[in-house]
Amino acid sequence: MSHRVTLIPGDGIGPELTEATRRVLEATGVEFEWDVRPAGAAAMETHGGNPLPDATLDAIRANGVALKGPITTPVGGGFRSVNVGLRKALDMYAQVRPCKTYPGVRSRFEDVDLVIIRENTEDLYAGIEYEQGTPDAEELISWIESKGGELRWRDAGISIKPISVTGTRRIFEFAFDYARRMGRRKVTAVHKANIMKFTDGLWLHVAREVAEQNSDIEFDDRIVDNMCMQLVQRPEEYEVLVLPNLYGDVLSDLCAGMIGGLGMAPGANFGDGAAVFEPTHGSAPKYAGQNKTNPMAQLLSGMLMLRHLGEDAAADNLEAAIADVIREGKSVTYDMKPTRDDPTAVGTSEVADAIIEKLGVRV
Ligand code: NAD
């Protein structure tokens, strides 16, 4: 059976990374029908300045699955981030970032194999903010004071942190389903419920309710500061961490650092009708078109997509081929070599060639 997948090459290094990934995915023997769609700069040129055309969104909705390269968000000028726009339009509430160390990667850590699941629609990132000194901020502060609330100083800007029962329930239901599908045994809820009782407290309460309905999977919880310490002391004790938006943002970068950095960190965003697979890193514009950057994060995102499509044997083969190339340390890009100016570093497409060769041995 052929899988119809929307392919969004993206900006900067995106096109070369997605091309390398497309070649490698085809070499696994799985058949794809690529539905190539623009977003970002390429879309602006062809769609009257619109970086996120409706036709691209409709294609993802219709196919249900997309492989996406990174997209540039130009600084300033009220330009809406395509990445945020995409997540909102498709209500992709779950961001999944598996963090795994492969032997041969330059990292201070070994034996990390955990998954960060970040709630992606609520919390302090909901965009409900009141600028210091505006009439709205003044009104809000007066209202808070009228309810007995006290601000240390009145000249404050205010960001609101909504965490709902509905949003929390759906992310934990997703997390337990994901854990079960991926053969994971434990889910950990991360929070600061001891301080923020009505938001993180609610998060923990709902997490426990959902855990009771999923008693085949072990459940525990950690306060976020303690979680950070535990992650650097004994990361091997954790499997699936579920975090509200802000903590999820911070800890997913912490964990990316633990497994070798941005070049190694894959990701996926899930909504009820769509799944978009993309690396954690951005479009690194200064390296665009140079066949220089590391395709591993994009390739590993493709491997996650294979699992999502039910192609587990191909995913296992691909992961083993990637692991072989990393362990050998020969056909890897500059960022995976002992020094950044190592003359033996290869380019993006040569990494893909080496992995395809390994797949050839395996398939
Ligand atoms: P970035 O991740 O693009 O690059 C930062 C640095 O990390 C690069 O200069 C490079 O040294 C290194 N790097 C990143 N990817 C690499 C790879 N595959 N191989 C080797 N080295 C790599 O972050 P940035 O410079 O902050 O952002 C650039 C643009 O990307 C911005 O417009 C930003 O908005 C966008 N962005 C997009 C996404 C996305 O599409 N999901 C995510 C993050 C940032």
Side-chain angles (χ1 to χ4, degrees):
M1 191 190 104
S2 167
H3 299 282
R4 191 170 162 79
V5 170
T6 301
L7 178 66
I8 301 175
D11 296 324
I13 56 174
E16 51 205 281
L17 298 183
T18 49
E19 175 56 18
T21 304
R22 187 189 59 73
R23 286 201 294 124
V24 169
L25 287 174
E26 286 178 356
T28 63
V30 174
E31 281 183 28
F32 291 97
E33 199 186 319
W34 301 105
D35 174 25
V36 182
R37 300 282 173 168
M44 289 176 81
E45 280 165 26
T46 51
H47 289 74
N50 180 3
L52 186 54
D54 285 343
T56 297
L57 287 171
D58 289 343
I60 302 173
R61 285 190 191 101
N63 296 327
V65 186
L67 181 69
K68 173 183 165 295
I71 292 174
T72 303
T73 305
V75 178
F79 188 95
R80 191 164 143 258
S81 156
V82 172
N83 300 303
V84 174
L86 199 61
R87 277 172 218 151
K88 283 203 165 153
L90 301 172
D91 194 20
M92 292 194 290
Y93 57 89
Q95 186 187 79
V96 175
R97 296 215 171 140
C99 297
K100 181 169 173 178
T101 41
Y102 292 92
V105 160
R106 288 183 305 112
S107 165
R108 291 168 189 275
F109 295 87
E110 287 169 10
D111 300 332
V112 180
D113 185 10
L114 53 85
V115 182
I116 302 263
I117 297 184
R118 165 185 171 190
E119 201 290 328
N120 218 1
T121 67
E122 296 201 288
D123 195 5
L124 280 164
Y125 287 14
I128 310 170
E129 300 203 279
Y130 299 92
E131 187 180 355
Q132 185 270 320
T134 59
D136 283 349
E138 292 289 324
E139 192 181 333
L140 182 56
I141 288 169
S142 300
W143 183 86
I144 290 169
E145 287 171 343
S146 77
K147 300 292 173 192
E150 273 181 39
L151 277 82
R152 177 68 183 85
W153 308 104
R154 282 190 114 257
D155 53 354
I158 297 186
S159 300
I160 304 278
K161 169 170 167 142
I163 292 201
S164 68
V165 172
T166 306
T168 306
R169 183 167 292 138
R170 79 172 171 172
I171 194 71
F172 276 98
E173 284 172 350
F174 172 90
F176 279 99
D177 282 352
Y178 187 88
R180 193 172 293 113
R181 260 189 294 132
M182 297 297 156
R184 302 283 186 157
R185 287 153 313 177
K186 185 168 92 168
V187 165
T188 303
V190 184
H191 60 85
K192 190 80 184 175
N194 51 331
I195 304 292
M196 284 169 282
K197 297 191 192 317
F198 300 141
T199 48
D200 288 31
L202 178 153
W203 171 267
L204 180 57
H205 178 74
V206 174
R208 285 180 173 146
E209 281 180 359
V210 178
E212 268 175 35
Q213 291 150 12
N214 290 276
S215 52
D216 54 319
I217 294 186
E218 198 186 323
F219 173 77
D220 64 4
D221 71 276
R222 291 284 178 279
I223 292 175
V224 63
D225 35 353
N226 179 243
M227 185 77 248
C228 289
M229 191 187 69
Q230 302 248 340
L231 275 174
V232 293
Q233 286 197 316
R234 21 179 200 282
E236 66 284 355
E237 286 183 14
Y238 295 92
E239 294 210 35
V240 177
L241 309 183
V242 191
L243 303 98
N245 214 336
L246 169 62
Y247 312 146
D249 191 10
V250 178
L251 267 68
S252 55
D253 265 36
L254 171 75
C255 290
M258 292 169 68
I259 58 155
L262 283 177
M264 283 302 301
N269 297 293
F270 292 90
D272 284 334
V276 176
F277 296 83
E278 62 175 342
T280 297
H281 62 71
S283 58
K286 70 177 176 192
Y287 293 116
Q290 294 178 26
N291 188 38
K292 185 166 179 180
T293 50
N294 192 350
M296 292 297 183
Q298 186 86 52
L299 288 164
L300 289 166
S301 304
M303 185 271 291
L304 297 177
M305 186 178 83
L306 286 175
R307 294 206 189 285
H308 177 74
L309 294 170
E311 300 284 359
D312 283 308
D316 289 345
N317 272 339
L318 174 55
E319 191 174 13
I322 290 173
D324 277 356
V325 168
I326 295 173
R327 188 170 39 244
E328 288 174 9
K330 247 179 8 198
S331 300
V332 295
T333 47
Y334 70 98
D335 55 310
M336 297 189 77
K337 293 283 185 182
T339 59
R340 297 209 143 213
D341 52 3
D342 189 320
T344 66
V346 304
T348 309
S349 65
E350 288 72 30
V351 176
D353 293 342
I355 293 168
I356 290 169
E357 207 181 305
K358 296 279 179 202
L359 281 170
V361 173
R362 242 180 215 90
V363 172

